[in-house]
Amino acid sequence: MSEDAVREDAGVVSDDLRREIEAFYRTEILLLQGHRYRQWLELMDESIKYRVPVTTSTVNGLVAADDALGYYDEDLELLKARVAKLESKQSWVEQPTSRLRYFIQLLDLVHQPDGTIAASSNLLLYQHRWNLDQSFTGERNDVLMPIPGGFRLRSRLVVLDRQAFTEQGLSVFF
Amino acid sequence: MGERAKHAELAGLQPPPVPPDARIGSFRSGELVNADASAVDRRLFVDEELYRLEQERIFAKCWLFVGHESQLEANGSFLTTTMAEDPVLVVRDKAGKLRGYLNSCTHRGTKICRADSGRSSTFKCPYHGWTFNSEGALMSVPRLGQVYGENFDRSKHSLREVAKIDSIHGLIFATWDPAAPTLREYLGEMTFYLDLMLARMEGGTELLGGLHKWTIGVNWKIPAENFAGDHYHVPVTHGAGVEMGYRSQLSNDGYCIHTGNGHSIGSERGGAQQGHAVQTEYKGFMDNMRAQLVAKYGEKAAAFVPVGVGTIFPNLSFMDTARFRTFRVWHPRGVDKIEIHSCLIVDRALPEDLKREVRKRYSLAFGPSGIFEQDDGDVWQSIQDSMRGRIGRQGWLNYEMGVGREGPTVDRYGPPFVGSTSDILMTEANQRAYYRQWAKLMTEGDR
Ligand code: FES
Ligand SMILES: [Fe+2]
């Protein structure tokens, strides 16, 4: 048994796999920054759970409860509805189109018993709009499903670091 | 009904015409709002003096929404929010009674509670340690005898408590004004429509999953009047929602009802947010509720499930649709900024998995990322931006749409439907009623 295989058994991913996953995220960043949301949807698994919950301030800091409302709380049908809306010429929130800059820092990759990979990362997103600039930071927890030649996103949970965190309207994906 | 009787009845439903020569601080009322409020001066939205007067004459007097009873189920539970700019702590005390306090220590003013919600029987100030209980009493003072001597009277330093607090269908309201009418008197005939909206099922309602919070750089009255009756903006601002199948093209068939004291509702026939996309079982539930109402009051009653969109004066708005029901407060944060707290209110008796689906439909459409609401924010912010300058603050905004088309609701829909209504959906009758109520309260202090 090679050393890599031993490490995989312990849940740690090989360097090759890490490079493939990094490539997946680079592709995703290019699609998001380019507002190419139709193609971005193609990265989603049929059973995608895409969640960005609201947080509550408690004595223990910001908490995102499992059953909290979402800023985003989507399955594939709802994600498609959002993309259809953003594609409309009457989607005023993105007129003019905002400039987006995603900085994704991979932190940890772990093999899951079901063959998927849990990927956690830090997210920093800078948005310039016609009437304001704002940035978002948070932690992202993804589950990636390997497919021939790449991956599909099975689930995403993003917990943002601010509470009353956005101005005007929110038109970006995390 | 004769013209005269009709007039008298309508007058009872309307805030009084704005007198031209009453004072509103250093302004003459007639230079700010014309008699029927079909013209409103731009300074209402940008003037600092008016904003300060609003704090005194509107927000310190009116009943304001502070939360939902389902957030305070257990004795000793609390939540924090604001009444206009004043931070408040709302608790269910040891005896189970709802109470509200200024979230500010009576020693030096520090906030005694920093969390949004939780459970605690005491609140210890982080500055010098004065500690209050859920009855608002000052329980302990560090080194009391040593530093204050024997004569210090703790009972004189209780938390500042709201004058009145009450709830209706789980919605909790409070007021700082001891002379305020009861909550039900304040809500007046709006109570009837709240009954229709919030008492559909046995077991009451609950607030599900916390709050959406975000900010918009706009005066608080702009979103409040929008929810009161701006159906005219829907086909334009929310045109994308039609294109992607979420809702049908807006018709002009519906009602805009004003129920007195500045409170309003309005709905397209069949309810806002009609359309085929992303439906759930909730629709079936609403169809069922509609059938029950029709059985009770006749065919025309079908128009009232869902009730639609509305504003309870001054800054609580709601939207009851075929997919979900949201309530939200437009908290003023200065003359040119609001913080929005928006929530989802569901009937407790709905099946849990349907509640989850309804929750998703709400955040898809409303809240900061909602595919409808995301387009309102920039429009509203740009209103503020264009009125803050020397020239931008001059002149009048126009509210003439549908003048003279109002009559008693009962004439169109039969009993028991109360208030005054228009015969078209796209009218600014509710905004006029809103600004007449504004002028009524704002002129009262200077009589
Ligand atoms: S058309 Fe109404 S504000 Fe421009
Ligand atoms: Fe709107």
Side-chain angles (χ1 to χ4, degrees), chain A residues 49 51 54-59 66-75 77-78 81-82 84-94 129-132 163-171, chain B residues 114-117 208-217 235-241 243-244 278-279 339 342-344 357 359-364 368-371 374-375 377-378 381-382:
Chain A
K49 295 255 168 305
R51 233 172 106 59
V54 303
T55 52
T56 300
S57 170
T58 71
V59 285
D66 284 344
D67 56 354
L69 278 182
Y71 292 106
Y72 296 87
D73 194 357
E74 327 291 24
D75 53 26
E77 182 192 13
L78 300 186
R82 278 191 187 278
K85 191 277 177 179
L86 286 170
E87 285 172 345
S88 163
K89 290 212 169 46
Q90 302 183 70
S91 184
W92 299 105
V93 67
E94 278 293 319
R129 287 168 54 172
W130 67 287
N131 56 354
L132 67 104
Q163 196 180 20
F165 75 95
T166 186
E167 289 186 86
Q168 263 82 282
L170 185 59
S171 59
Chain B
R114 297 175 172 188
D116 291 338
S117 57
L208 201 70
L211 302 174
H212 278 137
K213 296 183 180 180
W214 73 108
T215 59
I216 299 180
V236 185
T237 309
H238 307 300
E243 269 185 27
M244 49 76 70
V278 300
Q279 288 289 3
E339 182 173 322
S342 174
C343 64
L344 171 68
E357 290 307 308
R359 187 185 81 203
K360 291 180 181 176
R361 297 312 182 277
Y362 155 63
S363 58
L364 175 72
S369 60
I371 59 177
Q374 65 186 182
D375 292 319
D378 291 304
Q381 187 273 339
S382 76

Side-chain angles (χ1 to χ4, degrees), chain B residues 404-440:
Chain B
R405 303 189 74 129
E406 292 161 76
T409 309
V410 69
D411 287 359
R412 274 196 86 202
Y413 292 98
F417 298 98
V418 288
S420 71
T421 191
S422 302
D423 57 348
I424 46 174
L425 177 65
M426 293 185 215
T427 164
E428 286 162 347
N430 287 357
Q431 291 95 317
R432 288 191 289 278
Y434 184 88
Y435 287 111
R436 284 160 74 163
Q437 179 71 9
W438 181 90
K440 173 172 181 265

Side-chain angles (χ1 to χ4, degrees), chain B residues 30-91:
Chain B
E31 64 177 311
L32 294 176
V33 182
N34 76 349
D36 66 355
S38 61
V40 171
D41 191 276
R42 288 173 164 236
R43 286 171 294 183
L44 253 77
F45 307 98
V46 291
D47 187 85
E48 290 286 349
E49 180 191 348
L50 290 176
Y51 180 73
R52 278 199 312 280
L53 285 174
E54 286 173 347
Q55 304 311 302
E56 168 194 327
R57 294 174 190 178
I58 293 176
F59 291 109
K61 293 257 169 76
C62 291
W63 283 90
L64 304 176
F65 177 81
V66 294
H68 190 278
E69 290 208 47
S70 60
Q71 295 170 283
L72 298 171
E73 223 114 80
N75 293 357
S77 53
F78 70 85
L79 64 85
T80 59
T81 181
T82 68
M83 292 168 70
E85 295 199 40
D86 290 310
V88 292
L89 169 67
V90 184
V91 305

Side-chain angles (χ1 to χ4, degrees), chain A:
Chain A
M1 211 187 256
S2 76
E3 263 202 30
D4 268 352
V6 173
R7 285 174 59 204
E8 282 195 24
D9 283 344
V12 180
V13 306
S14 68
D15 288 347
D16 281 353
L17 188 56
R18 170 175 282 272
R19 273 192 292 277
E20 285 170 34
I21 290 171
E22 283 168 353
F24 172 84
Y25 282 113
R26 275 197 298 277
T27 303
E28 185 187 19
I29 289 173
L30 287 171
L31 293 175
L32 288 173
Q33 288 185 175
H35 302 265
R36 285 182 284 163
Y37 297 127
R38 269 296 140 190
Q39 279 165 278
W40 178 67
L41 285 176
E42 288 167 16
L43 303 182
M44 306 297 156
D45 187 73
E46 287 286 315
S47 63
I48 176 76
K49 295 255 168 305
Y50 179 94
R51 233 172 106 59
V52 186
V54 303
T55 52
T56 300
S57 170
T58 71
V59 285
N60 300 315
L62 285 186
V63 170
D66 284 344
D67 56 354
L69 278 182
Y71 292 106
Y72 296 87
D73 194 357
E74 327 291 24
D75 53 26
L76 192 55
E77 182 192 13
L78 300 186
L79 272 182
K80 282 182 178 163
R82 278 191 187 278
V83 170
K85 191 277 177 179
L86 286 170
E87 285 172 345
S88 163
K89 290 212 169 46
Q90 302 183 70
S91 184
W92 299 105
V93 67
E94 278 293 319
Q95 285 187 29
T97 310
S98 56
R99 284 182 71 85
L100 301 173
R101 204 62 57 198
Y102 285 81
F103 301 88
I104 303 297
Q105 180 187 37
L106 270 185
L107 296 175
D108 200 20
L109 296 171
V110 182
H111 282 288
Q112 303 296 106
D114 65 355
T116 61
I117 299 145
S120 65
S121 53
N122 282 341
L123 170 128
L124 168 61
L125 166 58
Y126 178 81
Q127 180 186 28
H128 166 79
R129 287 168 54 172
W130 67 287
N131 56 354
L132 67 104
D133 295 308
Q134 61 185 338
S135 54
F136 306 92
T137 67
E139 67 179 75
R140 209 198 229 183
N141 286 292
D142 289 352
V143 173
L144 299 174
M145 167 87 180
I147 56 157
F151 304 93
R152 289 277 179 273
L153 186 61
R154 172 67 66 80
S155 73
R156 172 165 292 173
L157 171 68
V158 178
V159 179
L160 294 159
D161 299 326
R162 269 196 284 165
Q163 196 180 20
F165 75 95
T166 186
E167 289 186 86
Q168 263 82 282
L170 185 59
S171 59
V172 295
F173 291 107
F174 296 109

